[in-house]
Amino acid sequence: MRFRISRTSSPYASRPDEQEHPTPAPGTPTAAQATLLSDREISLIRASVAEVEPLAADMTVYFYAILFARYPEVRPMFPPGMDAQRGRLLRALLRIVDLVDDPGGLVRFCGHLGRDHRKFGTLAAHFPAVGECLLAALARFAGPAWSADVAAAWTKAYGAVAQVMIGAAEEDAAVRPAAWPAKVVHRLSRGHGIAEITVRPHLPYEYAAGQYVSLETPWWPKQWRYYSPANAPREDGTLTFHVRAVPGGTVSDALVHRAVVGDVLQLGPPMGDMVLDAAVHSDLLCVAGGTGLAPIRALIEEIARRGGRHQVDLFLGARTSSELYGIDDMLRMAQRYHWLTLRGAVSHEHIPGIRGSLPQVLAEYGPWYQHDCFLSGPAAMVASADEALTLHGTLPDHIHYDPFETPVLSAR
């Protein structure tokens, strides 16, 4: 499952991943070109969002209502249920607003969105329609705070965002498909509603250990869910995902309880910058909870592939010992690799070993300010670990994690 938000100085890592086209396509704004908004325009945009935010749920309902009414041809691009979609639109909008004074971060973030949106059939021609309806929704719900100057600032900002997304999508289309069919070649039940699913893409699929991937099942078209491969790239091209069925999770439930060998899934492009090359230090702290272990496991495999040039302290956290997912596998890896130290911590059970929440345990075993820290697991755990590390001197740029809820404009 995906529970994380990419964290460095921007919503993605401080440098674009080398496998994700760091050089903008012709016509795509660079960070310098994206510095188009004045301080006053940025202030106007943020003030209008502050007015709208208490009514955000109603605003997103209105936005999609007028979008589908004015441009009915776009409705088939979306799933029947729109609740998750509305939330993602809002998160993406808020993230963009947060980045309007960070041109480099804005370009990286919108580039990711543009590439990811290809799998939905998004075209350059769709952006004017979305912009028109978005501004109409903002104007309606901002009320008296909306003015000609605010409208002009939003028009300018949306134009820059759209240009980055379109350019990134066009660049991406020149070198790879929008989505990759992938056959299920192995399935293993792990118990506790968790399945290990291995797929082999029909076409070469390049990604970096630590990135995440969107999956679509044949049973729920247009609904995508984000998972991290639990392995570094393999010679045979297969990827293994650890999937936990969650209440109401249509995609996760289908993957855990319905998928069998021979079924064909769809993979979206790899995303995220929680990759080994983002590390500055040779000493690494890895913190994982539940199936959030998957990208951490992939990073450890990648370190082994590179000859074990990092020292890694790995903490696995859970409420009880039975919930320490993947600990046997990681114990075997710790026995194999001298540079890997493993510790398990439980917070709600008295057993021999380390007891306490992960933030408490990290504080006890720290400090970690000379480490790069990779965090993955439930959102509350990641947020509290991030806070604990920061309080004890770890620089924000050295704390890496991916979206708590992937802020794309697509429903899952």
Side-chain angles (χ1 to χ4, degrees):
M1 296 170 59
R2 301 303 306 187
F3 298 99
R4 311 173 296 154
I5 188 161
S6 185
R7 159 68 180 279
T8 54
S9 58
S10 73
Y12 288 90
S14 56
R15 56 189 296 274
D17 183 65
E18 293 169 351
Q19 296 192 28
E20 290 223 0
H21 317 294
T23 303
T28 302
T30 63
Q33 291 171 313
T35 313
L36 300 175
L37 298 178
S38 67
D39 290 343
R40 182 171 182 273
E41 288 168 331
I42 291 171
S43 177
L44 289 172
I45 287 172
R46 288 181 169 163
S48 64
V49 168
E51 292 290 331
V52 166
E53 199 165 357
L55 306 170
D58 291 338
M59 189 198 80
T60 55
V61 170
Y62 179 78
F63 163 76
Y64 281 109
I66 60 174
L67 177 66
F68 296 155
R70 296 179 185 180
Y71 302 96
E73 65 274 14
V74 306
R75 183 63 182 92
M77 297 172 60
F78 296 86
M82 291 294 295
D83 288 346
Q85 170 67 22
R86 296 186 188 104
R88 288 189 169 180
L89 169 68
L90 178 60
R91 284 188 292 273
L93 181 62
L94 293 176
R95 177 57 63 187
I96 288 169
V97 170
D98 189 48
L99 289 170
V100 291
D101 57 356
D102 177 9
L106 184 64
V107 167
R108 285 192 294 274
F109 178 71
C110 295
H112 278 292
L113 290 184
R115 289 186 288 272
D116 193 50
H117 274 60
R118 291 184 55 223
K119 69 191 181 197
F120 309 115
T122 303
L123 303 174
H126 295 140
F127 283 87
V130 171
E132 171 196 322
C133 296
L134 177 62
L135 264 67
L138 287 166
R140 178 183 178 92
F141 285 86
W146 195 258
S147 68
D149 287 347
V150 174
W154 268 105
T155 299
K156 191 174 182 179
Y158 180 81
V161 166
Q163 188 179 359
V164 172
M165 290 181 65
I166 292 168
E170 290 176 346
E171 177 194 9
D172 202 53
V175 296
R176 61 183 185 178
W180 289 255
K183 180 184 290 187
V184 177
V185 295
H186 182 71
R187 183 192 177 282
L188 175 65
S189 177
R190 289 282 193 173
H192 303 285
I194 299 174
E196 183 179 298
I197 297 174
T198 300
V199 302
R200 179 177 287 111
H202 295 183
L203 299 170
Y205 188 88
E206 295 184 4
Y207 72 100
Q211 289 191 299
Y212 57 95
V213 177
S214 55
L215 299 182
E216 181 194 45
T217 72
W219 308 286
W220 296 98
K222 300 184 178 67
Q223 296 197 30
W224 297 76
R225 186 76 164 121
Y226 290 82
Y227 300 94
S228 291
N231 59 281
R234 297 169 175 152
E235 289 186 4
D236 67 0
T238 60
L239 300 87
T240 297
F241 300 95
H242 295 183
V243 182
R244 184 192 299 273
V246 297
T250 53
V251 174
S252 65
D253 188 72
L255 289 171
V256 171
H257 298 297
R258 192 167 181 175
V260 296
V261 172
D263 287 334
V264 176
L265 312 177
Q266 297 289 326
L267 309 183
M271 298 180 69
D273 296 305
M274 196 184 79
V275 297
L276 191 58
D277 288 342
V280 174
H281 298 293
S282 60
D283 291 338
L284 306 182
L285 168 67
C286 294
V287 180
T291 52
L293 176 62
I296 301 299
R297 190 188 186 285
L299 286 169
I300 291 170
E301 279 195 5
E302 180 65 21
I303 293 168
R305 289 201 329 163
R306 299 187 185 189
R309 298 173 185 171
H310 294 271
Q311 293 294 318
V312 181
D313 284 274
L314 170 60
F315 288 82
L316 298 183
R319 289 168 51 87
T320 66
S321 57
S322 63
E323 296 172 339
L324 280 172
Y325 177 75
I327 192 165
D328 291 340
D329 183 30
M330 300 315 300
L331 281 170
R332 287 189 290 270
M333 295 183 80
Q335 291 170 354
R336 189 181 314 141
Y337 305 128
H338 66 86
W339 41 263
L340 174 61
T341 301
L342 171 64
R343 299 181 181 93
V346 298
S347 58
H348 289 68
E349 183 181 9
H350 290 280
I351 60 171
I354 303 174
R355 185 176 186 275
S357 67
L358 272 175
Q360 292 170 335
V361 172
L362 292 176
E364 178 182 349
Y365 280 82
W368 306 101
Y369 59 85
Q370 292 184 326
H371 290 64
D372 270 275
C373 305
F374 293 85
L375 316 179
S376 178
M381 183 213 80
V382 171
S384 58
D386 174 43
E387 181 179 6
L389 290 167
T390 303
L391 286 174
H392 288 86
T394 304
L395 294 176
D397 283 359
H398 298 162
I399 304 175
H400 314 280
Y401 51 97
D402 283 331
F404 286 123
E405 180 58 50
T406 308
V408 297
L409 306 185
S410 60
R412 67 185 193 187

